[in-house]
C-alpha cells in the first residue's frame, strides 16, 4: 500500500553541503605542500569532505506541483513523496517519478459488434489520474500502457453489452445511441473496476464516436428512414380518422345533410384520401344530385 513520507527541507541540506564542500576545498588548498614535501593530513581530509559532499548532494530532489517521487532502498519500498519543493532524502534511494496530474486518453475508433451482432464503430474519451503511486509503480509493468489496453477492453465490452438502438430490440431499456449519461456512467464504473489494481482513478469517461460500420451504414439509414416514415404515417392516419369521425358527427348533429351508409362510406373514403395523400387532391365538382 502507498505510504507517504515527509523528507527534510532541501534548502537547509543544500546550504550545509555547499558549506562542507567549500570547507573541503579550503582544506585541500591548505594541505597541498608548498614545496615537494609530503602532503599533510588536511589534504586527505579535504578530499574526503569534497567526495562525501558530492555524494550527499545526490539526495537533493525537486518535486513539482502534482508530481511525486516513489522512493526505493535496494529493492524495498520506502514511501512516496508528494510535498512540492526542494527536498532531501537518502542519496542511496532510487527515485521513480510519477505524475499526479489528470491525463486524457482518446481511444481509437474500434470496430466491434453490438449486442444484436451489428458491426459498429465506437470510441471514447477518458480522463484518468494516478491515486495510488505504489500500485502504479509496482503492481503493473507500465501503467500508461495498462490504462490504454484496459480502456479499449472496457469500451469493447460496453459495445457488446447493449444494442446500438432499439430497432431490433424494442424491449431494450438502454441503447448505445440513446443511453447517453447512463451509458457513460456504466463505462466509468467498469473502467474504475479494471484500473483499480494499477492505482488509477477515472475522473470522467464519455463516448466520443458512435456509428454503424461503413458496410451496413447505408442499409441501416434506409431502415431508420423507413421506420420514421411508418411512424409519421401512423400519426397521420390517426389524425385523419379523428377528423372524419368529427366531420360525420357534426353533420349528423346539425342536420346539414342526411347520408345513408353508402354515401357515408364514399365520404369517408374521399376524406381519407385527401387527408392522407402526399399531394394536394384535385377536386371534382358534382353539378347533379348526390346520386348522380
Amino acid at each position: 500500500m502507498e505510504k507517504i513520507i515527509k523528507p527534510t527541507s532541501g534548502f537547509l541540506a543544500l546550504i550545509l553541503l555547499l558549506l562542507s564542500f567549500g570547507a573541503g576545498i579550503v582544506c585541500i588548498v591548505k594541505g597541498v605542500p608548498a614545496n615537494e614535501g609530503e602532503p599533510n593530513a588536511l589534504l586527505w581530509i579535504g578530499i574526503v569532505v569534497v567526495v562525501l559532499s558530492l555524494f550527499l548532494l545526490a539526495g537533493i530532489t525537486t518535486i513539482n506541483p502534482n508530481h511525486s517521487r516513489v522512493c526505493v532502498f535496494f529493492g524495498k519500498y520506502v514511501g512516496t513523496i508528494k510535498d512540492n519543493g526542494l527536498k532531501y532524502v537518502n542519496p542511496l534511494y532510487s527515485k521513480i517519478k510519477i505524475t499526479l496530474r489528470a491525463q486524457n486518453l482518446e481511444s481509437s475508433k474500434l470496430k466491434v459488434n453490438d449486442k444484436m451482432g451489428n458491426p459498429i464503430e465506437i470510441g471514447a474519451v477518458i480522463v484518468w489520474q494516478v491515486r495510488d503511486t505504489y500500485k502504479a509503480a509496482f503492481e503493473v509493468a507500465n501503467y500508461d500502457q495498462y490504462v490504454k489496453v484496459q480502456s479499449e477492453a472496457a469500451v469493447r465490452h460496453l459495445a457488446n453489452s447493449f444494442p446500438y438502438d432499439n430497432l431490433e430490440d424494442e424491449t431494450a431499456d438502454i441503447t448505445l445511441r440513446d443511453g447517453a449519461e447512463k451509458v457513460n456512467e456504466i463505462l466509468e464504473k467498469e473502467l474504475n473496476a479494471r484500473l483499480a489494481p494499477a492505482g488509477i482513478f477515472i475522473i470522467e469517461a464519455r463516448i466520443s464516436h458512435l456509428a454503424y460500420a461503413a458496410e451496413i451504414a447505408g442499409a441501416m439509414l434506409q431502415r431508420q428512414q423507413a421506420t420514421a416514415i411508418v411512424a409519421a404515417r401512423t400519426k397521420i392516419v390517426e389524425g385523419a380518422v379523428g377528423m372524419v369521425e368529427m366531420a360525420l358527427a357534426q353533420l349528423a348533429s346539425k342536420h346539414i345533410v342526411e347520408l345513408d351508409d353508402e354515401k357515408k362510406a364514399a365520404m369517408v373514403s374521399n376524406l381519407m384520401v385527401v387527408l392522407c395523400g402526399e399531394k394536394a387532391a384535385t377536386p371534382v365538382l358534382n353539378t347533379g344530385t348526390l346520386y348522380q
Side-chain angles (χ1 to χ4, degrees):
M1 296 297 293
E2 184 182 69
K3 181 172 63 175
I4 305 299
I5 58 176
K6 302 288 184 178
T8 58
S9 172
F11 293 102
L12 178 60
L14 181 61
I15 293 173
L16 293 176
L17 290 174
L18 290 177
L19 290 176
S20 64
F21 181 80
I25 296 296
V26 171
C27 291
I28 291 175
V29 172
K30 290 185 176 181
V32 175
N35 299 319
E36 294 182 356
E38 292 291 331
N40 57 33
L42 283 177
L43 176 61
W44 302 110
I45 293 174
I47 292 175
V48 171
V49 171
V50 168
V51 172
L52 185 61
S53 298
L54 292 175
F55 169 73
L56 294 176
L57 277 172
I60 293 179
T61 182
T62 302
I63 303 176
N64 296 322
N66 281 327
H67 285 74
S68 66
R69 297 291 186 276
V70 177
C71 298
V72 181
F73 184 68
F74 293 104
K76 181 181 179 181
Y77 172 67
V78 177
T80 301
I81 306 171
K82 291 187 176 180
D83 289 341
N84 302 327
L86 192 65
K87 304 296 178 182
Y88 184 79
V89 297
N90 190 329
L92 295 176
Y93 287 172
S94 59
K95 298 174 283 292
I96 303 173
K97 187 184 299 185
I98 295 181
T99 179
L100 304 177
R101 294 177 295 182
Q103 303 184 61
N104 285 323
L105 171 65
E106 184 175 4
S107 69
S108 57
K109 296 178 182 179
L110 305 175
K111 186 175 179 180
V112 297
N113 293 332
D114 68 355
K115 184 179 179 181
M116 308 307 296
N118 298 315
I120 63 173
E121 293 179 353
I122 187 171
V125 173
I126 300 163
V127 184
W128 59 278
Q129 183 181 40
V130 175
R131 290 289 177 89
D132 192 318
T133 56
Y134 174 84
K135 291 182 178 180
F138 304 114
E139 294 293 337
V140 294
N142 185 325
Y143 67 88
D144 285 316
Q145 184 68 17
Y146 187 84
V147 170
K148 181 179 179 180
V149 173
Q150 292 298 324
S151 297
E152 289 189 358
V155 173
R156 288 181 181 275
H157 182 259
L158 177 74
N160 297 147
S161 301
F162 302 100
Y164 180 88
D165 52 29
N166 55 8
L167 288 179
E168 293 186 5
D169 189 0
E170 297 181 355
T171 61
D173 296 329
I174 301 175
T175 63
L176 296 174
R177 190 180 68 175
D178 300 327
E181 293 300 323
K182 186 63 177 177
V183 172
N184 294 330
E185 181 182 341
I186 294 172
L187 176 60
E188 184 177 323
K189 183 178 180 180
E190 180 170 354
L191 283 170
N192 273 317
R194 285 176 176 267
L195 298 176
I200 306 297
F201 176 75
I202 300 300
I203 300 174
E204 185 181 19
R206 290 285 183 270
I207 299 298
S208 60
H209 175 77
L210 183 64
Y212 280 114
E215 58 266 27
I216 67 167
M220 287 301 178
L221 178 60
Q222 292 179 352
R223 181 174 182 178
Q224 291 174 355
Q225 291 174 341
T227 302
I229 291 173
V230 170
R233 289 292 183 185
T234 301
K235 290 294 183 182
I236 292 173
V237 170
E238 290 178 357
V241 170
M243 294 175 68
V244 170
E245 183 180 5
M246 180 180 63
L248 292 174
Q250 290 188 7
L251 287 173
S253 63
K254 295 180 180 180
H255 303 289
I256 296 175
V257 63
E258 296 293 336
L259 299 175
D260 57 18
D261 292 339
E262 182 180 352
K263 288 303 177 181
K264 285 182 180 180
M267 178 181 176
V268 169
S269 176
N270 293 335
L271 285 175
M272 291 297 293
V273 170
V274 171
L275 295 174
C276 297
E278 293 184 0
K279 299 180 179 179
T282 302
V284 177
L285 298 178
N286 186 359
T287 57
T289 64
L290 289 174
Y291 296 96
Q292 292 180 347

